[in-house]
mmCIF file of all heavy atoms in Angstrom:
data_model
loop_
_atom_site.group_PDB
_atom_site.id
_atom_site.type_symbol
_atom_site.label_atom_id
_atom_site.label_comp_id
_atom_site.label_asym_id
_atom_site.label_seq_id
_atom_site.Cartn_x
_atom_site.Cartn_y
_atom_site.Cartn_z
ATOM 1 N N SER W 1 0.802 -1.154 0.122
ATOM 2 C CA SER W 1 -0.018 0.000 -0.013
ATOM 3 C C SER W 1 0.916 1.208 0.089
ATOM 4 O O SER W 1 2.059 1.179 0.567
ATOM 5 C CB SER W 1 -0.800 0.032 1.237
ATOM 6 O OG SER W 1 -1.647 -1.156 1.312
ATOM 7 N N GLN W 2 0.526 2.260 -0.729
ATOM 8 C CA GLN W 2 1.176 3.578 -0.620
ATOM 9 C C GLN W 2 1.162 4.150 0.695
ATOM 10 O O GLN W 2 2.265 4.686 1.079
ATOM 11 C CB GLN W 2 0.575 4.571 -1.652
ATOM 12 C CG GLN W 2 0.639 4.126 -3.108
ATOM 13 C CD GLN W 2 0.265 5.253 -4.056
ATOM 14 O OE1 GLN W 2 -0.573 6.041 -3.850
ATOM 15 N NE2 GLN W 2 0.832 5.287 -5.263
ATOM 16 N N HIS W 3 0.108 4.025 1.511
ATOM 17 C CA HIS W 3 -0.071 4.408 2.827
ATOM 18 C C HIS W 3 -0.521 3.167 3.556
ATOM 19 O O HIS W 3 -1.488 2.637 3.173
ATOM 20 C CB HIS W 3 -0.774 5.570 3.159
ATOM 21 C CG HIS W 3 -0.291 6.822 2.263
ATOM 22 N ND1 HIS W 3 0.811 7.486 2.614
ATOM 23 C CD2 HIS W 3 -0.814 7.257 1.170
ATOM 24 C CE1 HIS W 3 0.971 8.456 1.651
ATOM 25 N NE2 HIS W 3 -0.061 8.403 0.780
ATOM 26 N N ARG W 4 0.232 2.793 4.678
ATOM 27 C CA ARG W 4 -0.351 1.544 5.366
ATOM 28 C C ARG W 4 -1.802 1.818 5.881
ATOM 29 O O ARG W 4 -2.017 2.875 6.459
ATOM 30 C CB ARG W 4 0.474 1.393 6.581
ATOM 31 C CG ARG W 4 0.028 0.003 7.263
ATOM 32 C CD ARG W 4 1.204 -0.440 8.475
ATOM 33 N NE ARG W 4 0.856 -1.695 8.776
ATOM 34 C CZ ARG W 4 0.123 -1.982 9.802
ATOM 35 N NH1 ARG W 4 -0.581 -0.968 10.430
ATOM 36 N NH2 ARG W 4 -0.123 -3.205 10.338
ATOM 37 N N GLU W 5 -2.623 0.968 5.471
ATOM 38 C CA GLU W 5 -4.071 1.154 5.804
ATOM 39 C C GLU W 5 -4.486 0.587 7.068
ATOM 40 O O GLU W 5 -4.518 -0.747 7.239
ATOM 41 C CB GLU W 5 -4.874 0.593 4.598
ATOM 42 C CG GLU W 5 -4.747 1.361 3.300
ATOM 43 C CD GLU W 5 -4.784 0.495 2.014
ATOM 44 O OE1 GLU W 5 -4.756 -0.629 2.119
ATOM 45 O OE2 GLU W 5 -4.815 1.119 0.965
ATOM 46 N N TYR W 6 -4.594 1.330 8.137
ATOM 47 C CA TYR W 6 -4.865 0.791 9.445
ATOM 48 C C TYR W 6 -5.850 1.882 10.255
ATOM 49 O O TYR W 6 -5.648 2.990 10.114
ATOM 50 C CB TYR W 6 -3.563 0.886 10.226
ATOM 51 C CG TYR W 6 -3.767 0.216 11.666
ATOM 52 C CD1 TYR W 6 -3.747 -1.079 11.831
ATOM 53 C CD2 TYR W 6 -4.012 1.123 12.666
ATOM 54 C CE1 TYR W 6 -3.855 -1.641 13.220
ATOM 55 C CE2 TYR W 6 -4.309 0.616 13.999
ATOM 56 C CZ TYR W 6 -4.096 -0.778 14.194
ATOM 57 O OH TYR W 6 -4.412 -1.204 15.410
ATOM 58 N N GLY W 7 -6.971 1.257 10.582
ATOM 59 C CA GLY W 7 -7.955 2.082 11.260
ATOM 60 C C GLY W 7 -9.289 2.067 10.529
ATOM 61 O O GLY W 7 -9.587 1.253 9.654
ATOM 62 N N ARG W 8 -10.139 3.013 10.968
ATOM 63 C CA ARG W 8 -11.465 3.102 10.410
ATOM 64 C C ARG W 8 -11.489 3.653 9.047
ATOM 65 O O ARG W 8 -10.755 4.454 8.713
ATOM 66 C CB ARG W 8 -12.365 4.090 11.371
ATOM 67 C CG ARG W 8 -12.512 3.468 12.815
ATOM 68 C CD ARG W 8 -13.141 4.514 13.688
ATOM 69 N NE ARG W 8 -13.407 3.971 15.051
ATOM 70 C CZ ARG W 8 -12.566 3.989 16.005
ATOM 71 N NH1 ARG W 8 -11.317 4.321 15.758
ATOM 72 N NH2 ARG W 8 -12.720 3.384 17.140
ATOM 73 N N ALA W 9 -12.428 3.144 8.305
ATOM 74 C CA ALA W 9 -12.652 3.493 6.822
ATOM 75 C C ALA W 9 -14.143 3.377 6.555
ATOM 76 O O ALA W 9 -14.834 2.674 7.229
ATOM 77 C CB ALA W 9 -11.886 2.721 5.940
ATOM 78 N N ARG W 10 -14.655 4.052 5.548
ATOM 79 C CA ARG W 10 -15.977 3.877 5.086
ATOM 80 C C ARG W 10 -16.125 3.088 3.848
ATOM 81 O O ARG W 10 -15.502 3.242 2.881
ATOM 82 C CB ARG W 10 -16.533 5.382 4.838
ATOM 83 C CG ARG W 10 -16.711 6.273 5.940
ATOM 84 C CD ARG W 10 -17.859 5.820 6.895
ATOM 85 N NE ARG W 10 -17.819 6.444 8.161
ATOM 86 C CZ ARG W 10 -18.595 6.145 9.161
ATOM 87 N NH1 ARG W 10 -19.516 5.144 9.044
ATOM 88 N NH2 ARG W 10 -18.558 6.735 10.385
ATOM 89 N N LEU W 11 -17.060 2.060 4.044
ATOM 90 C CA LEU W 11 -17.171 1.158 2.975
ATOM 91 C C LEU W 11 -18.305 1.675 1.997
ATOM 92 O O LEU W 11 -19.391 1.841 2.450
ATOM 93 C CB LEU W 11 -17.662 -0.201 3.492
ATOM 94 C CG LEU W 11 -17.625 -1.426 2.519
ATOM 95 C CD1 LEU W 11 -16.198 -1.815 2.125
ATOM 96 C CD2 LEU W 11 -18.300 -2.573 3.163
ATOM 97 N N GLU W 12 -18.014 1.763 0.724
ATOM 98 C CA GLU W 12 -18.936 2.206 -0.246
ATOM 99 C C GLU W 12 -19.437 1.014 -1.102
ATOM 100 O O GLU W 12 -18.496 0.400 -1.769
ATOM 101 C CB GLU W 12 -18.257 3.313 -1.235
ATOM 102 C CG GLU W 12 -17.887 4.540 -0.535
ATOM 103 C CD GLU W 12 -19.026 5.344 0.245
ATOM 104 O OE1 GLU W 12 -20.200 5.127 -0.272
ATOM 105 O OE2 GLU W 12 -18.731 5.991 1.226
ATOM 106 N N ILE W 13 -20.441 0.645 -1.056
ATOM 107 C CA ILE W 13 -21.078 -0.622 -1.644
ATOM 108 C C ILE W 13 -21.401 -0.238 -3.145
ATOM 109 O O ILE W 13 -22.096 0.566 -3.455
ATOM 110 C CB ILE W 13 -22.357 -1.131 -0.860
ATOM 111 C CG1 ILE W 13 -21.995 -1.533 0.532
ATOM 112 C CG2 ILE W 13 -22.927 -2.392 -1.699
ATOM 113 C CD1 ILE W 13 -23.157 -1.778 1.321
ATOM 114 N N GLU W 14 -20.735 -1.092 -3.960
ATOM 115 C CA GLU W 14 -20.953 -0.857 -5.521
ATOM 116 C C GLU W 14 -22.055 -1.805 -6.018
ATOM 117 O O GLU W 14 -22.559 -1.492 -6.929
ATOM 118 C CB GLU W 14 -19.563 -1.061 -6.045
ATOM 119 C CG GLU W 14 -18.524 -0.008 -5.741
ATOM 120 C CD GLU W 14 -17.415 0.003 -6.588
ATOM 121 O OE1 GLU W 14 -17.386 -0.582 -7.719
ATOM 122 O OE2 GLU W 14 -16.286 0.519 -6.142
ATOM 123 N N ASP W 15 -22.217 -2.980 -5.393
ATOM 124 C CA ASP W 15 -23.111 -3.954 -5.790
ATOM 125 C C ASP W 15 -24.210 -4.096 -4.773
ATOM 126 O O ASP W 15 -24.042 -4.915 -3.839
ATOM 127 C CB ASP W 15 -22.397 -5.345 -6.191
ATOM 128 C CG ASP W 15 -23.382 -6.360 -6.713
ATOM 129 O OD1 ASP W 15 -24.507 -6.153 -6.770
ATOM 130 O OD2 ASP W 15 -22.930 -7.433 -7.009
ATOM 131 N N ARG W 16 -25.270 -3.424 -5.035
ATOM 132 C CA ARG W 16 -26.377 -3.481 -3.984
ATOM 133 C C ARG W 16 -27.147 -4.869 -3.962
ATOM 134 O O ARG W 16 -27.778 -5.126 -3.044
ATOM 135 C CB ARG W 16 -27.417 -2.374 -4.349
ATOM 136 C CG ARG W 16 -27.003 -1.018 -3.697
ATOM 137 C CD ARG W 16 -27.298 -1.120 -2.150
ATOM 138 N NE ARG W 16 -26.514 -0.076 -1.407
ATOM 139 C CZ ARG W 16 -26.205 -0.073 -0.127
ATOM 140 N NH1 ARG W 16 -26.761 -1.136 0.496
ATOM 141 N NH2 ARG W 16 -25.599 0.675 0.495
ATOM 142 N N ASP W 17 -26.850 -5.654 -4.914
ATOM 143 C CA ASP W 17 -27.431 -6.991 -4.992
ATOM 144 C C ASP W 17 -26.633 -8.048 -4.426
ATOM 145 O O ASP W 17 -26.964 -9.185 -4.417
ATOM 146 C CB ASP W 17 -27.733 -7.366 -6.556
ATOM 147 C CG ASP W 17 -28.864 -6.468 -7.090
ATOM 148 O OD1 ASP W 17 -29.686 -6.068 -6.357
ATOM 149 O OD2 ASP W 17 -28.655 -6.263 -8.282
ATOM 150 N N SER W 18 -25.439 -7.664 -3.851
ATOM 151 C CA SER W 18 -24.643 -8.584 -3.226
ATOM 152 C C SER W 18 -25.211 -9.240 -1.950
ATOM 153 O O SER W 18 -25.638 -8.540 -1.079
ATOM 154 C CB SER W 18 -23.240 -7.944 -2.896
ATOM 155 O OG SER W 18 -22.497 -8.869 -2.075
ATOM 156 N N SER W 19 -25.227 -10.508 -1.950
ATOM 157 C CA SER W 19 -25.751 -11.261 -0.797
ATOM 158 C C SER W 19 -24.770 -11.104 0.431
ATOM 159 O O SER W 19 -25.257 -11.039 1.604
ATOM 160 C CB SER W 19 -25.809 -12.846 -1.069
ATOM 161 O OG SER W 19 -26.719 -13.067 -2.146
ATOM 162 N N LEU W 20 -23.562 -10.883 0.290
ATOM 163 C CA LEU W 20 -22.564 -10.800 1.276
ATOM 164 C C LEU W 20 -22.811 -9.407 2.043
ATOM 165 O O LEU W 20 -22.701 -9.278 3.273
ATOM 166 C CB LEU W 20 -21.174 -10.829 0.853
ATOM 167 C CG LEU W 20 -20.095 -10.652 1.950
ATOM 168 C CD1 LEU W 20 -20.220 -11.875 2.806
ATOM 169 C CD2 LEU W 20 -18.714 -10.463 1.330
ATOM 170 N N LEU W 21 -23.174 -8.349 1.259
ATOM 171 C CA LEU W 21 -23.371 -7.083 1.875
ATOM 172 C C LEU W 21 -24.961 -6.610 2.094
ATOM 173 O O LEU W 21 -25.159 -5.380 2.368
ATOM 174 C CB LEU W 21 -22.674 -6.088 0.938
ATOM 175 C CG LEU W 21 -21.217 -6.234 0.605
ATOM 176 C CD1 LEU W 21 -20.658 -5.325 -0.482
ATOM 177 C CD2 LEU W 21 -20.452 -6.428 1.788
ATOM 178 N N ALA W 22 -25.720 -7.492 2.023
ATOM 179 C CA ALA W 22 -27.178 -7.202 2.153
ATOM 180 C C ALA W 22 -27.418 -6.652 3.539
ATOM 181 O O ALA W 22 -26.902 -7.140 4.504
ATOM 182 C CB ALA W 22 -27.988 -8.499 2.012
ATOM 183 N N GLY W 23 -28.257 -5.414 3.560
ATOM 184 C CA GLY W 23 -28.595 -4.960 4.804
ATOM 185 C C GLY W 23 -27.579 -3.968 5.445
ATOM 186 O O GLY W 23 -27.762 -3.289 6.374
ATOM 187 N N LEU W 24 -26.427 -3.798 4.786
ATOM 188 C CA LEU W 24 -25.324 -2.841 5.244
ATOM 189 C C LEU W 24 -25.774 -1.434 4.709
ATOM 190 O O LEU W 24 -26.238 -1.357 3.626
ATOM 191 C CB LEU W 24 -23.946 -3.257 4.755
ATOM 192 C CG LEU W 24 -23.091 -4.148 5.600
ATOM 193 C CD1 LEU W 24 -23.704 -5.560 5.773
ATOM 194 C CD2 LEU W 24 -21.740 -4.324 5.175
ATOM 195 N N SER W 25 -25.453 -0.489 5.524
ATOM 196 C CA SER W 25 -25.802 0.943 5.123
ATOM 197 C C SER W 25 -24.815 1.398 4.144
ATOM 198 O O SER W 25 -23.798 0.770 3.761
ATOM 199 C CB SER W 25 -25.618 1.764 6.472
ATOM 200 O OG SER W 25 -24.229 1.803 7.020
ATOM 201 N N SER W 26 -25.217 2.402 3.473
ATOM 202 C CA SER W 26 -24.535 2.914 2.228
ATOM 203 C C SER W 26 -23.007 3.239 2.448
ATOM 204 O O SER W 26 -22.259 3.306 1.561
ATOM 205 C CB SER W 26 -25.270 4.125 1.534
ATOM 206 O OG SER W 26 -25.433 5.097 2.427
ATOM 207 N N SER W 27 -22.705 3.738 3.707
ATOM 208 C CA SER W 27 -21.387 4.079 4.019
ATOM 209 C C SER W 27 -20.930 3.629 5.345
ATOM 210 O O SER W 27 -20.898 4.232 6.307
ATOM 211 C CB SER W 27 -21.255 5.782 3.976
ATOM 212 O OG SER W 27 -19.943 6.116 4.224
ATOM 213 N N SER W 28 -20.877 2.259 5.439
ATOM 214 C CA SER W 28 -20.690 1.526 6.621
ATOM 215 C C SER W 28 -19.196 1.682 7.115
ATOM 216 O O SER W 28 -18.253 1.551 6.341
ATOM 217 C CB SER W 28 -20.990 -0.009 6.403
ATOM 218 O OG SER W 28 -20.936 -0.746 7.652
ATOM 219 N N GLN W 29 -19.032 1.767 8.445
ATOM 220 C CA GLN W 29 -17.730 1.959 9.102
ATOM 221 C C GLN W 29 -17.137 0.479 9.080
ATOM 222 O O GLN W 29 -17.768 -0.479 9.775
ATOM 223 C CB GLN W 29 -17.722 2.568 10.313
ATOM 224 C CG GLN W 29 -16.317 2.616 11.075
ATOM 225 C CD GLN W 29 -16.475 3.246 12.405
ATOM 226 O OE1 GLN W 29 -16.580 4.483 12.586
ATOM 227 N NE2 GLN W 29 -16.159 2.468 13.483
ATOM 228 N N VAL W 30 -15.886 0.390 8.681
ATOM 229 C CA VAL W 30 -15.149 -0.807 8.738
ATOM 230 C C VAL W 30 -13.718 -0.721 9.333
ATOM 231 O O VAL W 30 -13.253 0.548 9.375
ATOM 232 C CB VAL W 30 -15.027 -1.667 7.320
ATOM 233 C CG1 VAL W 30 -16.373 -1.972 6.918
ATOM 234 C CG2 VAL W 30 -14.365 -0.733 6.216
ATOM 235 N N TRP W 31 -13.023 -1.760 9.678
ATOM 236 C CA TRP W 31 -11.652 -1.588 10.322
ATOM 237 C C TRP W 31 -10.693 -2.254 9.393
ATOM 238 O O TRP W 31 -10.771 -3.408 9.041
ATOM 239 C CB TRP W 31 -11.611 -2.300 11.658
ATOM 240 C CG TRP W 31 -10.306 -2.136 12.303
ATOM 241 C CD1 TRP W 31 -9.428 -3.165 12.362
ATOM 242 C CD2 TRP W 31 -9.884 -1.013 13.137
ATOM 243 N NE1 TRP W 31 -8.405 -2.704 13.135
ATOM 244 C CE2 TRP W 31 -8.575 -1.397 13.630
ATOM 245 C CE3 TRP W 31 -10.440 0.240 13.321
ATOM 246 C CZ2 TRP W 31 -7.877 -0.552 14.386
ATOM 247 C CZ3 TRP W 31 -9.635 1.062 14.180
ATOM 248 C CH2 TRP W 31 -8.444 0.667 14.633
ATOM 249 N N MET W 32 -9.760 -1.419 8.938
ATOM 250 C CA MET W 32 -8.728 -1.838 8.051
ATOM 251 C C MET W 32 -7.403 -2.157 8.876
ATOM 252 O O MET W 32 -7.167 -1.385 9.839
ATOM 253 C CB MET W 32 -8.289 -0.849 6.885
ATOM 254 C CG MET W 32 -9.391 -0.487 5.983
ATOM 255 S SD MET W 32 -9.476 -1.788 4.774
ATOM 256 C CE MET W 32 -10.695 -1.069 3.593
ATOM 257 N N SER W 33 -6.581 -3.169 8.468
ATOM 258 C CA SER W 33 -5.355 -3.440 9.042
ATOM 259 C C SER W 33 -4.499 -4.173 8.133
ATOM 260 O O SER W 33 -4.247 -5.462 8.350
ATOM 261 C CB SER W 33 -5.571 -4.204 10.456
ATOM 262 O OG SER W 33 -4.330 -4.469 11.040
ATOM 263 N N HIS W 34 -3.945 -3.543 7.329
ATOM 264 C CA HIS W 34 -2.969 -4.270 6.397
ATOM 265 C C HIS W 34 -2.019 -3.284 5.585
ATOM 266 O O HIS W 34 -2.190 -2.201 5.524
ATOM 267 C CB HIS W 34 -3.847 -4.942 5.156
ATOM 268 C CG HIS W 34 -4.727 -4.093 4.453
ATOM 269 N ND1 HIS W 34 -4.362 -3.466 3.336
ATOM 270 C CD2 HIS W 34 -6.052 -3.617 4.802
ATOM 271 C CE1 HIS W 34 -5.370 -2.752 2.759
ATOM 272 N NE2 HIS W 34 -6.436 -2.926 3.634
ATOM 273 N N GLY W 35 -0.827 -3.952 5.244
ATOM 274 C CA GLY W 35 0.189 -3.189 4.497
ATOM 275 C C GLY W 35 0.246 -3.327 3.141
ATOM 276 O O GLY W 35 0.904 -2.622 2.345
ATOM 277 N N ASP W 36 -0.522 -4.342 2.641
ATOM 278 C CA ASP W 36 -0.549 -4.572 1.115
ATOM 279 C C ASP W 36 -1.985 -4.351 0.700
ATOM 280 O O ASP W 36 -2.923 -4.225 1.570
ATOM 281 C CB ASP W 36 -0.218 -6.233 0.826
ATOM 282 C CG ASP W 36 1.172 -6.492 1.090
ATOM 283 O OD1 ASP W 36 2.017 -5.676 1.156
ATOM 284 O OD2 ASP W 36 1.416 -7.644 1.327
ATOM 285 N N THR W 37 -2.150 -4.272 -0.572
ATOM 286 C CA THR W 37 -3.525 -3.969 -1.140
ATOM 287 C C THR W 37 -3.617 -4.767 -2.450
ATOM 288 O O THR W 37 -2.607 -4.796 -3.189
ATOM 289 C CB THR W 37 -3.842 -2.557 -1.265
ATOM 290 O OG1 THR W 37 -5.282 -2.470 -1.445
ATOM 291 C CG2 THR W 37 -3.101 -1.887 -2.410
#
């Protein structure tokens, strides 16, 4: 990653029909913790 991605981020859902993301709000808070992408 150009900048280590660690901490809170906002998830923007691109596929509203995804079964995995069903019911999540449009800008859900998620936790990142990785040095690669």
Side-chain angles (χ1 to χ4, degrees):
S1 305
Q2 291 185 335
H3 303 287
R4 189 170 186 272
E5 289 146 354
Y6 183 87
R8 294 172 177 82
R10 290 291 169 184
L11 191 70
E12 301 298 334
I13 298 174
E14 298 191 15
D15 183 356
R16 275 287 158 196
D17 295 325
S18 169
S19 300
L20 184 67
L21 305 178
L24 270 65
S25 56
S26 58
S27 187
S28 184
Q29 177 181 291
V30 296
W31 183 260
M32 294 283 188
S33 180
H34 56 94
D36 292 339
T37 194

